[in-house]
Every structure is written in structure tokens, then in C-alpha cells.
Amino acid sequence: MCDACVIHSVTNRMLSRRDFFRASAVATAGVAAVAAGIGGLAPAHAMTHSSVTDMSHTLTEDFPTFFGEQQFFQTQVFNYAEHKFNLKELRVNEHTGTHIDSPLHFSADGTSVDKIPVEKLVVPLAVIDIREKAAADADAVVTPDDIKAWIAANGALPAGCCLAMNSGWAQHLGTPKFRNADAAGKMHFPGFHAEAAKMLIEEADVSGVASDTLSLDIGASPDFAFHYAWLPSNRWGIECLANLDAVPATGGTLVVGAPKHAGGTGGPARVFTLV
């Protein structure tokens, strides 16, 4: 077939499709108008949000870590000046920066990060504010009483939610106080009490919890009691969450961009909240 014939054929096909979709749009509008006039029905509208808040810290080579050693490395392999494109090679400990803990992190055979269902990673967000308590005591913990107080003020925890601790600790990032190690090397920052895990597992429907510190447990924890109570129950955790001051106590939707590497115990995540 000649080039001109091909062009003519494609043009006619495109025009036919355009006429079809234009007619379909008119027909759809007509049906919606009829529906609106019968029984007061109205066309459905997509769900919308008015704001998006980034809940992740930027990951850098000097981002503070639980063990105090560098856990993120990046090497420039190709650069635009020489190769006309940029490409870096990354090496990272799974539990670095704003990251997710999968159930496998603290259990023998728990769910790995790639196996967490996506519907468990887009969930309502409930923010529990312990900033006043944490300012007075770096070893402050979220207790069942704190959760009961949140429920009294805001209503029941939303089904399938993530309960996030806002201790105000994110403001210390970039300073020694984020790790807050004493002379003996023991860290002091807020976390969740193991009894809070028991309450959330037995009395609520919660997919995950989150902290704005380096751990779900307090920095001085000798035994990771919350981790061992929470993660083996097939629930996840997020550590080093940012911008909890910028989202409401309830009404937001947390979206966890978890990594998907086979058998992973967790990994850096891009997390954001829709309100």
C-alpha cells in the first residue's frame, strides 16, 4: 500500500474514533441528566483530596542510624558531561532513613516487605501527640492510656489505620539529639510501650504503627519489646517519619511507597499523607 494511502486510512480511522467518543460523551451526559431528574440521582464523582504532605526525610550519606554507622552509600557510575546521562549505584541497609519494617524483620517466618498486600499500605492515618510528654522525658512511651485518651477525643481508631506517634523528635534531625546518646552510648528517644502493642492487637483493627524516631521502641530499650510484640502479629511499622505536625490527628490517608525486593525485611520508603 502506498504511503499516501496508509496516511489516508489512518486519518479516517482516527476521525471515526473521535466521532465515536464524541457521541459517547453526549450520550453519557444525556443519561446523567435523565438520572438526575429521576429520583434525584446524580452522577458519581471521583474522590478527591485537598493536600498532599510528604512524610519522608531526604536520605543522605550522613543520615543518623540506630547503630551509629553509615548505612547509605551512592556512587556516580555515569555522568551527563561525559556519558550524556546520569546513573548512580546505591548500597543501603534496609533500615535506613524513613523506612518500613516488615513482619519478617522481627520474626522467623513473617511476611517479607514484597508480600505486604498493597491495600495494607494505603490506610487511614491516626496521629497520637505526645510532644509535651516527650519534651519532659526523652524516654517517654505511648501507653494504652494515651491511646484511650486519643479515642476519647477523636472517636474510635479508623479500621485498618496506621497509628503514628508524634513525639516532636523530627525537629532534632541534623543534631546529636536525634540519636541522643549518653556517655555510655545508650540512646534516649521516645517510642511505643509493649502494652500498647497488646491493646492495639486485641482491641483495634490497625495495619501498622509509625514513629518519628529511629525505632518503634524507646532508644534505651534493652529488648525491643514492642518490635517483638508487634511485628510477629503480621503488622508493619515505619520509623523516622517526617512532618507529623503538618497533618491532622484523624482524617488523613497514609500512602506507603514500600520497596518490593524479594524476601526483604523492610526498606527506605516514600511516604505521604492525603487530606
Side-chain angles (χ1 to χ4, degrees), residues 50-128:
S50 60
S51 68
V52 182
T53 302
D54 192 347
M55 311 297 287
S56 300
H57 293 292
T58 299
L59 186 54
T60 59
E61 288 91 340
D62 61 352
F63 197 95
T65 65
F66 188 87
F67 296 108
E69 302 294 332
Q70 182 179 349
Q71 294 181 180
F72 173 63
F73 305 82
Q74 53 181 338
T75 302
Q76 188 88 33
V77 179
F78 296 95
N79 63 81
Y80 192 83
E82 184 179 356
H83 307 101
K84 296 306 179 186
F85 68 96
N86 291 304
L87 185 150
K88 292 182 178 182
E89 182 175 84
L90 307 180
R91 177 162 66 90
V92 61
N93 179 303
E94 290 175 310
H95 301 275
T96 309
T98 301
H99 67 276
I100 185 170
D101 287 1
S102 75
L104 182 60
H105 185 36
F106 270 73
S107 60
D109 56 0
T111 302
S112 58
V113 71
D114 57 306
K115 299 297 185 181
I116 298 175
V118 290
E119 60 269 22
K120 293 291 187 180
L121 298 173
V122 182
V123 297
L125 177 63
V127 180
I128 189 162

Side-chain angles (χ1 to χ4, degrees), residues 101-111 197 201 224-236:
D101 287 1
S102 75
L104 182 60
H105 185 36
F106 270 73
S107 60
D109 56 0
T111 302
I201 292 169
F224 297 103
F226 184 86
H227 276 83
Y228 280 114
W230 185 253
L231 295 178
S233 72
N234 204 34
R235 294 166 173 85
W236 48 259

